[in-house]
Amino acid sequence: MAETSCELFDCGHRACGGCGAALASRLILKATGKNTIIAAATGCMEVFSTPYPETAWKVPWIHSLFENNSAVASGICASLKKQGRTEKVVAIGGDGSTFDIGMLCLSGAFERGHDFTYICYDNEAYMNTGIQRSGATPFDASTTTSPAGKCSKGNARPKKDLPQILAAHGAPYVATASIAYPSDVVKKIEKAINTPGPCYVQIHAPCCTGWGFEGEKTLAIGKLAIETGLWVNFEMENGVVTRVKKVVRKPVETYLKEQKRFRHLFKPKVNAEEIAKIQAIADKNAEKYGTDLKLKSKPGPVVP
Amino acid sequence: MIEITEGSHAVAKAVKMSRPQVIAAYPITPQTHIVETLADMVADCELDAEYITVESEFSALSACLGASAAGSRTYSATTSQGLALMFEVCFNVSGMRLPVVMTIANRALGAPLSIWNDQQDSIALRDCGWLQFYAEDNQEATDLHYIAYKVAENPEVLLPAFVCFDGFILSHTYEPVDMLSQEDVDLYLPPYKPAQRLDAADPISFGMYATPEYYMEFRYEHDLAMKRAKNAISKAGKEFGEMFGRDYSALVEGYRLEDADTAIITMGSLCGTVKDAIDEMRTAGKKVGLLKIRCFRPFPSEEIRKALSHVENVAVLDKNVSIGAKGAVAIEVRDALYGKTIPVLGYVLGLGGRDVRISDIKNIVSLAESGKGDQFYGIRPEVL
C-alpha cells in the first residue's frame, strides 16, 4: 500500500475523515520535499501518523515531547551545521503545543535565531485529549474545559496573537495560511524554509470532530473563517505585513452556525449580544490587516 | 600532565578533549563553571563545537536530544533544580537510546532552597534509564567523562550517562589532576559513529508511540542494554587503565576491605573522608573497610554481594533519602544481599551540604556495630 503512494506523507495514517491537520501534513511535505527533517510535538498529528511499527512519514522524523519540538529542532540545526549538512529543519506542533506548553522553547529558539521553520497546525483546541480549550481557542467556542452552560458562553478569552509575538522576536518571515487554500499553504512553507533564520507558519486546520461539522465540509469551513474575517491569511516580512488575502466579508453567523462549538449562540435562541462581540473581533481583524475588498463604484462580479 | 586545577575546569577540559560537536547548557550553581569554561574554549576557537545557549535546562537536554538524534556527539551539564526540570527529557533521551553525556554537579533539591551538596538530584532520577557514575575526586571525575562517552556510544549499550561529582566539594576545589593529552584522548575515544540518525538519505522515525502490544519490549530491551553496560564499563575501564595507568574496570572498589569486619558503603567525595577515618580506626585496631560504588546504574549487585561476603556489618552512607523509606543506596545494597544474613544499616547524612567529618564516620561505625541504624545521622538535637 505504501509503495503505491507518491506522497511523502503517506497513506494509511489514522486521522479522522476530513481532518484538516492530515491535509496540512500532506501540504507541508509537498512544500518541503525530501531534504527535510521534521521535529514533531505530541498531538493528533503525531499520534495518527506514527503508531509503532508504522509511520506515515517518508522523511526523517522525530517526536520527543509535547513542549520541546523547538528545542529539539535547535539541536538538530546545530548538529547539521557542525556536520556540514543541508537538510531543512521543520518543527511541527498543534496549537496546544505551540501557543501554550511549548511557548518557552519556541520563544527561546526564535530569539536564538536558528535556521528552521516552525509550523503550527491550528485546530483551536487540544483535540488529541478530547477538545479542551487552548490559547488558540476563539472567543465563545464551547470546548470540554470551556463548555457553554447556564452561566457560561464558552471560551471567555480571544485567541492569542502568536504570529505577532513571533514577529516581535525578529522573525524574518511569519505567515498565516489555511488548508482551504492548499497552494497558498505550499507557497508560504516554501518561502519559510528558504528564508534564513527562524520562520513561522500558522495553518488554520479545521477539526470536524472538535468543532462539530461533517468531514466533507472541512475546506468550506476553512474558507468561511476567512470570508468572515475570523481568520486572516497574511504574510509578514521582518515585522511588516506585506501581503493579505482580501475578501468580501460575510457576517460571522455564516461561519458560526455551521459548527456545534458555537451552537449555544443560536439555540435555544439567537444570542445577538454575543454574536455582535464576535462580529467586532472580525471587524477589528479586517481593519487591522485591511482585508476588506473595496468594491468599485459600479458593483460587479468579485473574484477574491 | 599534572595540573593544579579547579574540578569544574578539569571536567571542562576533559569534555573539550572528548570533542563534543554540540553543547547545550544553562547556568546553575554549582555547575556553571563547567559551561563557562567551555564557552571560553569555543570563543577562543580552542573547541570546535556548536554551543547553544538555551533558555532553560529543559531546552538544554531537548536540544541535546535533537543534536544526538541527528548524529552528533553531544554534551550538557546541570544539577539539582535543573536536572529536575529535565526529568521528562531524561526518560526520552534514554528511551530513544541516544548516548548523551551530562555532568551532574550534585546538589540538594528544594524546598527549602539549597545550593549545597548532596546527591538527591541524580538519585531522584535513578529510574530514568541513564548510566550513573559517581566520582570520588577530580581525577576520577575527569577520567570518567572519557569512559562515559566510550560506554554510552558502544553499540552494545547506546545509553546516555550522568557523570556525577559533588557540587562545591569537588566542583569548586583545586586538586592536582593528571590531564590526558588530546592525542591520548583521540586514541582512546574515536569519533562518534551513530548507529542510526536523522538523515534525509535514509529516513527513519524516532520517538513514535507504542501501544500496549509493543511498549514493554522497549523497556525490556532498555534494561538488557543497561545490563550489557556492565561488561562495556569493565572493558572501557580496563582499556583506560592499560593506556593511562588508572584502572576503572571495577564498578565497585574496596579499600582495606579484605579482612574488614565492618564495611562502609558510599558514593562520591565522601569516600575520601571515609578512607581517612578507616586509616585512623585501623591504627586503633578496628577492622573497618570501604566499598565505594563508582557505578550506581547499572547497579553492581553481584559485585557488592561478592565484595561483602566476609563482613559482619554493613553501614551504608546515603547523601539522599527516599522520604518514607531510606537512602537509595541502602535500599539497593540490602536488595543485593537478599538471602544473606549480613546486617545492612543505612544512615542518611550530609543533606543540603551538612559537613560530614571523620568523627562522624567513627560514630556511625560504632552505631552499626551495636545494631543501630536506618536513621538520619547528625540532626540538630532540638528537633530530636
Side-chain angles (χ1 to χ4, degrees):
Chain A
M1 190 170 165
E3 295 310 312
T4 61
S5 169
C6 57
E7 297 277 348
L8 287 171
F9 185 75
D10 214 339
C11 52
H13 62 76
R14 285 93 188 273
C16 306
C19 171
L23 180 52
S25 309
R26 258 179 73 197
L27 296 172
I28 290 166
L29 290 197
K30 233 182 231 309
T32 63
K34 278 185 182 175
N35 198 38
T36 304
I37 295 173
I38 304 288
T42 310
C44 274
M45 190 188 282
E46 167 259 332
V47 168
F48 70 61
S49 64
T50 63
Y52 179 87
E54 294 163 13
T55 180
W57 300 86
K58 289 158 90 173
V59 296
W61 178 95
I62 184 168
H63 156 254
S64 171
L65 299 167
F66 199 3
E67 68 278 38
N68 71 349
N69 59 345
S70 305
V72 171
S74 304
I76 296 170
C77 288
S79 196
L80 298 184
K81 193 174 166 197
K82 184 71 183 69
Q83 295 171 37
R85 287 163 60 188
T86 59
E87 288 109 313
K88 300 286 185 188
V89 180
V90 174
I92 306 179
D95 51 286
S97 156
T98 309
F99 282 59
D100 293 352
I101 196 167
M103 182 86 183
L104 172 72
C105 295
L106 179 63
S107 174
F110 269 63
E111 174 273 316
R112 290 189 299 273
H114 297 284
D115 186 12
F116 81 121
T117 295
Y118 191 103
I119 299 172
C120 171
Y121 65 97
D122 181 5
N123 52 24
E124 303 191 323
Y126 290 88
M127 297 315 186
N128 194 41
T129 42
I131 320 158
Q132 294 82 27
R133 89 170 284 277
S134 76
T137 301
F139 183 71
D140 272 359
S142 182
T143 72
T144 56
T145 52
S146 64
K150 283 176 189 160
C151 47
S152 161
K153 297 172 187 74
N155 183 43
R157 298 286 303 157
K159 194 179 178 81
K160 188 194 280 188
D161 193 351
L162 193 58
Q164 293 286 354
I165 292 169
L166 292 173
H169 281 68
Y173 182 73
V174 170
T176 54
S178 166
I179 51 96
Y181 297 91
S183 61
D184 184 60
V185 172
V186 172
K187 259 192 276 177
K188 283 171 175 166
I189 293 172
E190 279 173 351
K191 194 162 176 179
I193 65 169
N194 290 309
T195 302
C199 297
Y200 179 70
V201 182
Q202 186 170 305
I203 306 173
H204 203 216
C207 169
C208 45
T209 310
W211 298 6
F213 60 82
E214 290 303 318
E216 74 267 17
K217 287 188 178 169
T218 305
L219 297 189
I221 294 285
K223 276 194 173 139
L224 278 174
I226 289 172
E227 286 165 358
T228 52
L230 286 172
W231 181 273
V232 180
N233 267 359
F234 63 84
E235 288 181 290
M236 286 176 84
E237 290 171 60
N238 300 310
V240 180
V241 178
T242 51
R243 198 169 147 261
V244 172
K245 167 134 186 90
K246 302 216 173 200
V247 291
V248 176
R249 272 199 297 142
K250 295 175 177 168
V252 293
E253 289 96 319
T254 55
Y255 175 64
L256 304 177
K257 69 178 190 224
E258 295 292 327
Q259 306 170 53
K260 276 190 192 157
R261 62 177 174 161
F262 296 113
R263 186 173 51 188
H264 56 287
L265 303 179
F266 300 93
K267 282 177 182 173
K269 59 182 173 67
V270 175
N271 190 333
E273 194 186 336
E274 286 306 301
I275 293 170
K277 287 181 196 168
I278 298 172
Q279 185 61 56
I281 292 171
D283 293 347
K284 204 172 146 193
N285 283 344
E287 194 189 340
K288 182 173 174 185
Y289 290 99
T291 60
D292 282 342
L293 200 60
K294 300 276 187 280
L295 299 179
K296 288 180 182 162
S297 52
K298 249 188 183 177
V302 172
V303 184
Chain B
M1 194 176 78
I2 304 279
E3 293 177 28
I4 308 291
T5 182
E6 190 191 285
S8 294
H9 298 159
V11 165
K13 283 180 191 170
V15 170
K16 174 196 151 194
M17 286 193 281
S18 301
R19 298 190 187 277
Q21 292 157 288
V22 178
I23 297 167
Y26 189 79
I28 182 168
T29 304
Q31 167 280 125
T32 314
H33 288 186
I34 300 173
V35 297
E36 284 175 348
T37 308
L38 289 167
D40 275 342
M41 292 166 173
V42 172
D44 290 335
C45 297
E46 291 166 15
L47 170 57
D48 181 19
E50 288 295 316
Y51 188 106
I52 314 176
T53 51
V54 283
E55 79 293 338
S56 71
E57 289 92 350
F58 177 80
S59 277
L61 192 55
S62 297
C64 285
L65 181 150
S68 182
S72 292
R73 183 173 286 161
T74 305
Y75 175 78
S76 191
T78 192
T79 175
S80 181
Q81 312 302 139
L83 184 59
L85 189 57
M86 291 177 176
F87 177 92
E88 198 184 6
V89 197
C90 283
F91 280 79
N92 242 247
V93 170
S94 66
M96 281 189 241
R97 309 288 299 275
L98 299 170
V100 175
V101 170
M102 184 154 70
T103 310
I104 311 296
N106 284 115
R107 169 186 145 181
L109 277 164
L113 175 67
S114 167
I115 59 165
W116 292 278
N117 167 250
D118 64 32
Q119 294 165 348
Q120 191 70 61
D121 48 2
S122 49
I123 288 296
L125 275 153
R126 66 186 183 271
D127 300 333
C128 76
W130 289 50
L131 306 163
Q132 288 203 9
F133 300 100
Y134 288 81
E136 177 183 346
D137 54 28
N138 286 332
Q139 183 67 63
E140 198 171 11
T142 308
D143 293 341
L144 282 173
H145 282 81
Y146 311 118
I147 291 166
Y149 272 115
K150 185 124 175 148
V151 175
E153 293 171 3
N154 183 328
E156 292 289 306
V157 179
L158 290 179
L159 290 174
F162 291 158
V163 179
C164 305
F165 76 142
D166 287 320
F168 290 119
I169 297 172
L170 293 180
S171 66
H172 285 54
T173 298
Y174 278 71
E175 284 186 340
V177 176
D178 184 5
M179 295 302 301
L180 302 184
S181 69
Q182 184 67 63
E183 294 71 33
D184 286 342
V185 176
D186 289 344
L187 280 175
Y188 181 74
L189 186 65
Y192 174 44
K193 283 188 194 143
Q196 289 181 311
R197 65 174 193 180
L198 294 165
D199 185 350
D202 183 18
I204 55 168
S205 291
F206 277 75
M208 302 156 79
Y209 89 89
T211 54
E213 285 75 23
Y214 292 105
Y215 182 89
M216 266 188 79
E217 283 67 25
F218 281 90
R219 283 292 165 272
Y220 174 71
E221 292 193 0
H222 194 156
D223 189 59
L224 286 183
M226 189 59 94
K227 285 173 176 147
R228 287 195 298 270
K230 276 194 180 185
N231 265 340
I233 293 164
S234 292
K235 214 176 122 200
K238 187 164 178 256
E239 193 185 335
F240 194 92
E242 286 165 358
M243 290 175 74
F244 312 119
R246 292 183 294 276
D247 188 323
Y248 293 101
S249 58
L251 282 70
V252 295
E253 209 172 73
Y255 178 78
R256 305 188 79 166
L257 187 63
E258 303 76 18
D259 63 338
D261 297 329
T262 297
I264 299 169
I265 300 186
T266 195
M267 308 195 296
S269 63
L270 192 52
C271 293
T273 313
V274 171
K275 284 177 181 174
D276 286 346
I278 286 171
D279 289 347
E280 288 186 16
M281 285 186 278
R282 285 274 179 176
T283 307
K286 262 191 157 183
K287 288 183 167 180
V288 183
L290 164 73
L291 186 66
K292 163 173 121 179
I293 296 179
R294 181 188 292 127
C295 173
F296 184 69
R297 282 290 180 276
F299 193 72
S301 296
E302 295 81 19
E303 291 82 351
I304 289 170
R305 212 174 151 86
K306 205 173 149 195
L308 298 182
S309 58
H310 63 286
V311 303
E312 290 169 16
N313 290 297
V314 177
V316 184
L317 314 185
D318 268 294
K319 280 189 178 182
N320 72 85
V321 60
S322 178
I323 304 283
K326 298 179 184 61
V329 184
I331 293 169
E332 301 213 12
V333 167
R334 204 174 274 183
D335 174 70
L337 296 178
Y338 179 73
K340 297 219 172 203
T341 51
I342 309 165
V344 176
L345 294 171
Y347 305 86
V348 171
L349 78 183
L351 300 187
R354 179 71 52 90
D355 199 17
V356 182
R357 294 162 181 254
I358 288 173
S359 56
D360 297 318
I361 307 299
K362 290 179 180 173
N363 287 342
I364 286 171
V365 167
S366 298
L367 284 170
E369 286 171 352
S370 59
K372 291 178 192 153
D374 284 355
Q375 63 180 69
F376 279 64
Y377 175 86
I379 295 296
R380 297 170 70 90
E382 62 265 31
V383 304
L384 290 173

